[in-house]
Amino acid sequence: MKVLKFGGTSVGSIEGILSLKKIVQAEKKPLIVVVSALSGVTDKLYQLVSLASNGDESYLQEYNDLAQRHFDIINNVVMPNEKIPLTNEIKAIFDDLANILRGIFLIRDSSRKITDIVVSYGEVLSSLIVANSIESATHCDSRKFIKTNNQFDKHVADFTATNALVQQTFAGNTSILVCGGFISTDSTTGFVTNLGRGGSDYTAAIIAATLNAEILEIWTDVDGFMTADPRIINNTYVIEQLSFSEAMELCNFGAKVIYPPTIFPVFHKNIPVVIKNTFNPDAKGTYISSQKAEATSKAIKGISSINDTSLITIQGLGMVGVIGVNFRIFKALASNGISVFLVSQASSENTTSIGVRNADSALAVEVLQQEFDAEIKRGEIDQIFSEDDLATVAIVGDNMKRTPGIAGKLFGTLGKNGINVIACAQGASETNISFVTDRKSLRKALTVSHDSFFLSEYQVLNICVVGVGTVGGSLLEQIKKQQPTLMSQNGLKLNVVGIASSKKMLFSREGIALDNYRQLLFDNGENASSSAICHEFINMNIFNSVFVDCTASNEISEMYNHLINNNISVVTANKLAASSSYQNYWQLKETARRRGVKFLFETNVGAGLPIINTVNSLINSGDKVLKMEAVLSGTLNFIFNTISEEIPLSKAIRMAKEQGYSEPDPRIDLSGTDVIRKLVILARESGYKTEQADVEKRLFVSENYFEGSLENFWKNITQLDQSLEEQRKLLAANNKRWRFVATMELGKCSVGLKEVDSLHPFFDLQGSNNIVLITTERYHDYPMIIKGYGAGANVTAAGVFADIISIANIR
């Protein structure tokens, strides 16, 4: 024999009841069907009581709407020959309900007993409708065989009386019996009671256990237990198999698929439970049994949460070594009907924290202060206090016991994403690791935990790209093109959640479509500023966040420290931060290290060339950089490769600007400022404390050309054309060329024009290419050479892209 339970959504619509009928009629008899009230009806009944007791006449309209809803369903699902008698019976029930509500309205009050009677009508009505919708089905009134006792002002199942009555009611059944869940009566008084929220699941489990059913099927509106709450995490999936202990842990910590006490009766009788979807009956669902997971299956089965947590802390050195303190804590709470779902205690016993619902917080503190009043007065207990509006997250899986490092991985992931753990707990069975955090961090905590343990199909990086010019635009195009490959081959999803220009910003937690991001930014973007962009991204409180700066903005670079302090990795093509004061540079790197995030700026030197990464690898492996010689300005190299008898200096500068090699203001390149910044960054990454002011400059354009407006610069720069051309001819006659070279030797830095002959590695440097010669203790006689494109939007964007990918640690 099977027991099938159908939830409120299953019986709350015509579609649901028709699907229910089809499922039931396909089963073999005997069969017991337990149903909840129509979806939303229990809440509506509580509302009717509230309205009537407050003298609000609108309860009449709400009552009429509720009655009409039931009659509409009867007209559409009940068998024709049963419609008239059932309609008359339902009318009589609603008349009784109307009289009770009228009485509540007149006296402006409602007792607990009256409220229990009113809310019981939901299951009475739904079970009658379902029973008369199924051919050969018989209705049974659960109030006659589900009995309760009163404990701490709560209705608790009386198993002795209930088991006997269930056996008596269902003995010899060979057909389909339909009854309502949730509702019951008191064993002593006979008053109507109920089993509380989710009590219909519990009713079905009690019946199944008492009758030794072969299986209990819980039919809901979801396909089964999910790996996490799909309302928060959009890439969850159904858990096909759970042990009783895993299911119980997930239920206790917020998984709302079934009511937690449901597991207890069927567990003791070893009756499996299947969670199925009424609206998708062909889905496999979740199978819950005593069978443990195989050792080779995933350590983590699912993640659940409670967003209604208050943490009560009892603190004091007087508790250390004192026997019976915990007994008194839990006795005091139990005596006042306060349920504890988490306990965290320091090994020294000087602090004990317990998790309760927010509604129980004030009472819990009060009763504990009364219990330990003497100890508080003697100073043995310092304080008893509560932290409210917190959230509890639990990761669950039987195989955690066989897998070392789970806790380390969990808390490492949380810390990296800036999630503060207020308290944590793990039992010796290792089936559950629970932690408490602030409520605002719940979404991020669930998401990073889910992603970290590969419950997600993809690892996700949530990216905000600032700057949609040549580099930023190229980066977004590269991301769009590469997204499918990274997802299919590397399991990495790049989710662009923010895009900003100098004027507009656009954010979407679900991701921004890159096919038409410019139009979306223009049409839907909000006014942008550096502070607004950072504020919005930080307030998204999203996991695995990466801020990508493709601007040359000083205001944006000044936001890095704030971003990193909020556990957001920063990838930047903007040289201003890494070349600013050494103190700021070091603070950014140290903060990123302490926060467990990344501050990456490979493209600050050499665009897409792996210069900084190479230097880091050399130093991290124990080598020491002694000297660097480099051509680091693609702009200046282009200019000196372009200058000829036909193309003077002034024209070569214009060509560099027109072809996108130079800064919008080419004076930045000609003044050596850009090269100095790059050299300072390389020196610092090589282990030397260098400031821009320390760099010796030997420029080929005197300072007076950089004064005044850009327009004046273009007028005056032609004055250098003739003299520079004469010098170039002399060089060419001696088979030499100019290169603007940056040099660092043991921390001493200089930049300037240098003559190189045909034997020098710099001589044949073409176009806008860069080249770096690195002399180290290992690469002493034959320096390491890195050479290639050192400028251009595509290669710079590719270098930024590579930094983003490195954060995900994929190969």
Side-chain angles (χ1 to χ4, degrees), residues 315-358:
Q315 185 176 329
L317 295 176
M319 297 192 298
V320 177
V322 178
I323 297 173
V325 171
N326 285 343
F327 168 75
R328 291 172 61 191
I329 291 172
F330 296 114
K331 181 182 178 182
L333 295 172
S335 298
N336 287 273
I338 299 171
S339 176
V340 174
F341 57 80
L342 178 139
V343 180
S344 178
Q345 183 177 42
S347 58
S348 64
E349 300 179 27
N350 72 324
T351 301
T352 298
S353 295
I354 55 175
V356 301
R357 303 284 180 175
N358 279 305

Side-chain angles (χ1 to χ4, degrees), residues 129 135 269 307 370 443 455 467 525 540 569 628 674 734:
I129 292 171
E135 189 175 351
K269 291 293 187 74
N307 66 356
Q370 291 174 358
R443 176 188 285 271
L455 293 174
M540 290 182 84
S569 292
M628 284 188 184
D674 189 57
N734 291 301

Side-chain angles (χ1 to χ4, degrees), residues 37-46 66 69-70 119 121-123 125:
L38 275 61
S39 57
V41 167
T42 301
D43 288 336
K44 181 62 69 176
L45 290 167
Y46 276 115
L66 183 64
R69 180 184 175 192
H70 284 78
V119 297
Y121 278 82
E123 275 70 17
L125 292 163

Side-chain angles (χ1 to χ4, degrees), residues 20 31 79 106 159 161 163 223 314-315 335 361-363 381 507 515 521 538 543 565 577 600 615 725 748 760 809:
L20 179 158
L31 193 68
M79 293 179 292
L106 291 173
F159 285 103
N163 290 347
D223 287 341
I314 305 97
Q315 185 176 329
S335 298
S361 172
L363 179 59
I381 290 181
F507 289 91
D515 293 328
L521 184 62
I538 290 169
F543 76 109
N565 266 307
L600 302 177
V615 170
E725 174 56 19
K748 184 178 180 181
H760 198 285
N809 292 321

Side-chain angles (χ1 to χ4, degrees), residues 263-404:
I263 304 295
F264 181 75
V266 291
F267 164 72
H268 283 282
K269 291 293 187 74
N270 198 22
I271 298 170
V273 180
V274 179
I275 311 299
K276 299 276 283 182
N277 189 343
T278 307
F279 304 97
N280 185 21
D282 294 330
K284 190 173 182 180
T286 299
Y287 185 83
I288 305 168
S289 68
S290 58
Q291 183 178 349
K292 299 287 185 179
E294 296 179 4
T296 54
S297 67
K298 289 181 179 178
I300 308 301
K301 282 291 187 69
I303 301 171
S304 59
S305 63
I306 300 171
N307 66 356
D308 174 26
T309 298
S310 176
L311 198 65
I312 313 297
T313 299
I314 305 97
Q315 185 176 329
L317 295 176
M319 297 192 298
V320 177
V322 178
I323 297 173
V325 171
N326 285 343
F327 168 75
R328 291 172 61 191
I329 291 172
F330 296 114
K331 181 182 178 182
L333 295 172
S335 298
N336 287 273
I338 299 171
S339 176
V340 174
F341 57 80
L342 178 139
V343 180
S344 178
Q345 183 177 42
S347 58
S348 64
E349 300 179 27
N350 72 324
T351 301
T352 298
S353 295
I354 55 175
V356 301
R357 303 284 180 175
N358 279 305
D360 293 329
S361 172
L363 179 59
V365 171
E366 181 183 342
V367 299
L368 289 173
Q369 287 175 338
Q370 291 174 358
E371 175 67 29
F372 293 99
D373 181 62
E375 286 84 353
I376 293 171
K377 288 178 179 177
R378 293 196 299 265
E380 295 172 0
I381 290 181
D382 298 331
Q383 54 183 335
I384 299 173
F385 62 92
S386 67
E387 295 175 81
D388 299 335
D389 298 322
L390 304 176
T392 304
V393 177
I395 63 170
V396 174
D398 286 334
N399 274 356
M400 288 198 294
K401 191 176 183 105
R402 296 188 272 271
T403 309

Side-chain angles (χ1 to χ4, degrees), residues 95-209:
D95 287 344
D96 289 342
L97 176 59
N99 290 332
I100 296 172
L101 292 172
R102 179 63 179 169
I104 294 172
F105 177 79
L106 291 173
I107 64 173
R108 301 290 196 274
D109 193 20
S110 63
S111 67
R112 167 78 178 276
K113 293 176 184 177
I114 295 298
T115 301
D116 285 345
I117 291 172
V118 172
V119 297
S120 72
Y121 278 82
E123 275 70 17
V124 171
L125 292 163
S126 65
S127 58
L128 281 167
I129 292 171
V130 170
N132 285 274
S133 302
I134 301 170
E135 189 175 351
S136 303
T138 303
H139 178 256
C140 296
D141 188 344
S142 301
R143 294 172 294 185
K144 295 180 179 178
F145 53 83
I146 301 295
K147 297 294 180 178
T148 62
N149 290 321
N150 189 289
Q151 292 183 14
F152 305 116
D153 202 32
K154 293 181 180 179
H155 305 306
V156 179
D158 179 350
F159 285 103
T160 302
T162 297
N163 290 347
L165 290 169
V166 168
Q167 291 281 7
Q168 179 182 325
T169 302
F170 297 102
N173 172 46
T174 59
S175 62
I176 301 172
L177 298 182
V178 179
C179 61
F182 177 70
I183 53 178
S184 52
T185 50
D186 187 274
S187 294
T188 304
T189 65
F191 290 138
V192 173
T193 59
N194 60 68
L195 298 177
R197 293 286 184 180
S200 292
D201 291 347
Y202 197 21
T203 301
I206 292 170
I207 294 171

Side-chain angles (χ1 to χ4, degrees), residues 51-72:
L51 291 171
S53 63
N54 286 312
D56 189 338
E57 292 186 350
S58 67
Y59 87 88
L60 287 169
Q61 183 59 52
E62 296 290 344
Y63 162 84
N64 289 328
D65 291 345
L66 183 64
Q68 189 58 51
R69 180 184 175 192
H70 284 78
F71 291 130
D72 288 344

Side-chain angles (χ1 to χ4, degrees), residues 32 62 171 336 393 401 477 500 566 604 621 626 717 736 768 782:
I32 297 174
E62 296 290 344
N336 287 273
V393 177
K401 191 176 183 105
E477 286 299 319
N566 280 275
N604 282 191
S621 65
L626 305 175
I717 194 63
K736 290 183 178 181
S768 63
Y782 300 96

